[in-house]
Amino acid sequence: MINCPICKSISHIIEDVPASGITTNIVKALPDLDFSYRSVTDYSIARCTQCTLEFASPMRAGDDAFYGWICSSKLYYPHVRWEWLPLLDMLCQQNKGSVLDVGCGSGLFLEAVRQRGLEGCGLDANPASVQTCLDKGLHAMCVGLEDVDASLGEQYDAITMFHVVEHLVDPVSALVSLRRLLKPGGLIAISVPYSPMSFETDWLDPLNRPPHHLTRWNRASLRTLARAAGLKERILIQPSRSVLSRTMSTLQLKRHLPAITGVSRVKRKLLFATRIIRWPLLSASIWVHQLKRDKKMGGAKGDAVLMLLTAEAA
């Protein structure tokens, strides 16, 4: 019997993830990586019967060598995330001047925090990422979540975790620990992929699966996480792109096509049309799957979700 790591309810295996394909599929998604990392194991994915969280079995995260390998890709860290702007606007409006960014990576969000005149501090378990932050003149420390209580005595107005929770073996304990670092009235902001993401109707993202991501989140499972940590939640879902845009990006991933960037809007539409003509049945199938996803999710949804958590009673 498998129990959910969040609500402890009975869960059932829904898919196997054999070790034989994990590294190969990651290299396809991040083609500037080589095959130097091979220490993978077989996984399964289970789904909770109550909160519907999907999670890895075993709940075993990639080791330091795995994340050193992944982070060496220049394609790994996004240049910007949709949730940064509304969150920064909120922090400035509410005069939340001190921000702790957990899993700060190369410090892109910390740079945005500094540009807004806020005081930022970053934590990351990857020494190379922390060094990149320090080289930019940012305040960052090489600290894992398991050491956060012992390493930090300060309290912060806001704590952010962008696409970190899905990597954690015990998300509830992590939030409980971080809650102790909040000032009165402070907030924790976490963002995760909103699963299944739009392109996962036809292409399974190897980076949204173990050992990279141990958990896959939706609205119900996020609310259960907030309750388990004794926090009150507010959920903001990324706005959806058009059906055509989602269809084209899914087709690109499915057929391993180059991204269409740096061209005019007219040329972009012509290239879209060329791809539809080349793969008409596949394009039509993806379009139908996108509409079914919209219906299942109660409307068109984006691929990420931001949850704002406060320490008030739920």
Side-chain angles (χ1 to χ4, degrees):
M1 185 174 66
I2 304 173
N3 295 112
C4 173
I6 307 303
C7 70
K8 310 307 179 185
S9 298
I10 295 174
S11 306
H12 300 294
I13 298 294
I14 60 171
E15 183 185 350
D16 291 322
V17 184
S20 57
I22 290 175
T23 303
T24 299
N25 290 329
I26 290 176
V27 171
K28 286 181 180 179
L30 302 174
D32 60 338
L33 290 177
D34 56 26
F35 286 93
S36 59
Y37 185 85
R38 292 287 186 177
S39 301
V40 291
T41 187
D42 292 331
Y43 284 89
S44 295
I45 296 177
R47 178 185 291 135
C48 176
T49 57
Q50 295 300 312
C51 74
T52 69
L53 176 77
E54 294 182 3
F55 59 94
S57 177
M59 280 287 279
R60 182 186 303 138
D63 57 18
D64 291 343
F66 173 79
Y67 277 104
W69 175 64
I70 286 281
C71 292
S72 69
S73 170
K74 295 181 179 179
L75 305 173
Y76 181 68
Y77 288 114
H79 295 295
V80 67
R81 294 193 185 277
W82 74 273
E83 60 267 35
W84 290 358
L85 180 58
L87 180 59
L88 285 168
D89 287 344
M90 182 184 305
L91 295 179
C92 290
Q93 291 168 5
Q94 297 180 3
N95 296 317
K96 297 190 182 301
S98 58
V99 180
L100 177 67
D101 187 27
V102 179
C104 61
S106 60
L108 294 176
F109 181 69
L110 289 176
E111 290 183 276
V113 166
R114 181 168 60 184
Q115 290 170 3
R116 290 294 190 100
L118 306 177
E119 181 182 348
C121 175
L123 300 182
D124 204 288
N126 186 295
S129 297
V130 172
Q131 187 59 52
T132 299
C133 292
L134 296 176
D135 291 343
K136 295 177 179 179
L138 300 168
H139 182 200
M141 294 179 285
C142 192
V143 176
L145 267 172
E146 65 277 5
D147 300 318
V148 74
D149 281 343
S151 302
L152 299 174
E154 299 183 57
Q155 286 191 320
Y156 297 86
D157 294 309
I159 299 173
T160 57
M161 286 197 297
F162 301 112
H163 293 255
V164 171
V165 168
E166 64 270 26
H167 298 268
L168 303 179
V169 172
D170 190 349
V172 176
S173 294
L175 287 180
V176 170
S177 295
L178 291 174
R179 178 178 175 175
R180 301 188 186 105
L181 301 178
L182 279 182
K183 291 180 180 179
L187 66 85
I188 298 174
I190 68 173
S191 64
V192 294
Y194 194 60
S195 297
M197 293 184 285
S198 59
F199 44 80
E200 290 186 310
T201 59
D202 293 82
W203 180 79
L204 292 177
D205 183 0
L207 297 178
N208 196 30
R209 297 153 70 77
H212 187 246
H213 287 180
L214 299 181
T215 46
R216 294 166 56 89
W217 299 88
N218 57 32
R219 189 188 293 268
S221 54
L222 284 169
R223 284 176 169 164
T224 302
L225 172 63
R227 288 195 298 270
L231 297 164
K232 180 180 179 180
E233 94 286 341
R234 177 187 172 198
I235 293 176
L236 304 174
I237 300 174
Q238 180 183 20
S240 175
R241 294 174 293 139
S242 69
V243 177
L244 175 61
S245 178
R246 286 181 276 144
T247 299
M248 289 296 96
S249 61
T250 305
L251 178 64
Q252 172 194 320
L253 293 166
K254 182 80 172 177
R255 301 299 303 181
H256 305 291
L257 303 173
I260 299 174
T261 58
V263 298
S264 68
R265 186 174 181 181
V266 172
K267 189 171 183 179
R268 182 181 179 87
K269 288 184 176 180
L270 287 174
L271 291 171
F272 278 173
T274 300
R275 290 181 174 182
I276 291 173
I277 291 170
R278 185 175 180 184
W279 293 286
L281 295 180
L282 179 57
S283 298
S285 175
I286 293 172
W287 184 287
V288 170
H289 294 163
Q290 291 297 318
L291 294 177
K292 287 183 177 178
R293 177 180 182 266
D294 293 349
K295 184 176 181 181
K296 183 177 180 180
M297 291 189 162
K301 300 290 191 299
D303 292 329
V305 56
L306 174 67
M307 183 164 68
L308 305 175
L309 300 162
T310 57
E312 302 159 2

